[in-house]
Amino acid sequence: MATTTVTSLFIGLTAGAFGGLIGIGGGIIMIPLMVEILKLSQHRAHGTSLLALVFTGISGAITYASNGSVDFTGAALLAVTAVLTASLGARYCNALTEKILKKYFGAFLIFCSVLLFLKPYLTNFIGIVPGYAKIMILLTTGAITGFLSGMMGVGGGTIMIPVMVILTGFSQHIAQGTSLLVMVPTGAIGAFAHWKMDNIEKGLLGGLIPGIVIGTYLGGNIANIIPNDLLRLIFAVILIFIGARYFRTSSPE
């Protein structure tokens, strides 16, 4: 039991540190580690990750809000549709076979890595939309993010942050703070659905939650001394590697 707690604490610290470095929740790192090291099923890894990320959202949102880096109106627009689709994503996750879910997760990781690679260049081709369209963009993004969050067990920052920065004109810091706030109600709804379907490994939460909160804090501070572009490229390469492994391991024999 003690060994499992220490291992889950390590996983939480690692996921939180990576998440804090580039401003996302850390689920895309935490899930592969739980599957590889703790041998959780893909379904239980997704559910457990989502519940742990609620606490990341609380801690991160408080920190960003204290510095004035949260747009509460934007967060409300994203969350109002995200909470409606999060439980749908969780139920869809539960309906998939282990092999198919792994393949979907691998594709999601590779998609996230592409976004990270292209992020600096997209703003040169996509202009900020008119004010009246921002509401629809945020509502639509919230709905998509909520479903993916419930299905993939992630906070959704990888989707929300680029949309807020590229299309609605949010600064990077405000986009990150707003994303963390949205993660709280969205993750809670999705995690509750996973809880009811017994997709949460409750014994790991005692290590994961403090680990990911501390790791997020440490990663956020380290990010201030490491070039952002270097961090983004390193993380994108890691995601491609992990995503490719998921594709190979989940392919039919």
Side-chain angles (χ1 to χ4, degrees):
M1 183 68 178
T3 302
T4 302
T5 301
V6 171
T7 304
S8 61
L9 179 66
F10 165 76
I11 291 173
L13 282 168
T14 304
F18 272 106
L21 282 169
I22 62 170
I24 61 175
I28 53 180
I29 289 294
M30 183 162 38
I31 290 171
L33 289 177
M34 286 192 287
V35 172
E36 291 292 329
I37 298 175
L38 296 174
K39 306 304 179 184
L40 261 64
S41 71
Q42 195 70 26
H43 295 81
R44 291 180 76 81
H46 284 213
T48 306
S49 167
L50 194 55
L51 181 55
L53 290 175
V54 172
F55 295 88
T56 304
I58 294 171
S59 174
I62 290 173
T63 302
Y64 275 84
S66 67
N67 293 311
S69 295
V70 172
D71 187 307
F72 291 96
T73 301
L77 289 170
L78 287 162
V80 73
T81 49
V83 297
L84 297 177
T85 57
S87 60
L88 296 176
R91 288 198 289 269
Y92 182 63
C93 166
N94 198 55
L96 296 172
T97 65
E98 180 91 356
K99 190 168 290 187
I100 293 298
L101 183 57
K102 284 187 174 184
K103 190 174 288 290
Y104 280 0
F105 188 67
F108 179 71
L109 292 183
I110 293 172
F111 172 71
C112 290
S113 70
V114 171
L115 280 183
L116 287 172
F117 271 123
L118 296 180
K119 184 179 174 182
Y121 311 106
L122 290 175
T123 51
N124 296 327
F125 299 99
I126 305 176
I128 297 174
V129 298
Y132 65 87
K134 290 182 182 179
I135 294 175
M136 291 306 301
I137 288 173
L138 292 174
L139 290 172
T140 303
T141 302
I144 295 170
T145 300
F147 184 85
L148 288 175
S149 179
M151 176 186 173
M152 297 297 180
V154 298
T158 312
I159 305 296
M160 285 187 284
I161 292 171
V163 170
M164 283 188 278
V165 172
I166 295 167
L167 293 181
T168 63
F170 284 30
S171 71
Q172 181 70 23
H173 280 85
I174 290 179
Q176 290 177 189
T178 304
S179 170
L180 285 165
L181 181 57
V182 176
M183 193 186 301
V184 178
T186 307
I189 295 294
F192 180 67
H194 277 289
W195 188 291
K196 291 193 295 183
M197 294 180 290
D198 195 30
N199 282 342
I200 292 178
E201 195 70 33
K202 304 173 185 66
L204 300 180
L205 298 176
L208 284 176
I209 292 171
I212 199 168
V213 170
I214 295 170
T216 301
Y217 173 78
L218 294 175
N221 283 287
I222 295 171
N224 293 321
I225 60 175
I226 300 177
N228 186 64
D229 286 345
L230 177 62
L231 285 173
R232 178 176 48 79
L233 292 175
I234 291 173
F235 196 68
V237 170
I238 292 172
L239 290 188
I240 290 175
F241 174 74
I242 297 173
R245 284 196 64 200
Y246 264 86
F247 264 103
R248 288 199 300 269
T249 57
S250 61
S251 298
E253 295 181 2

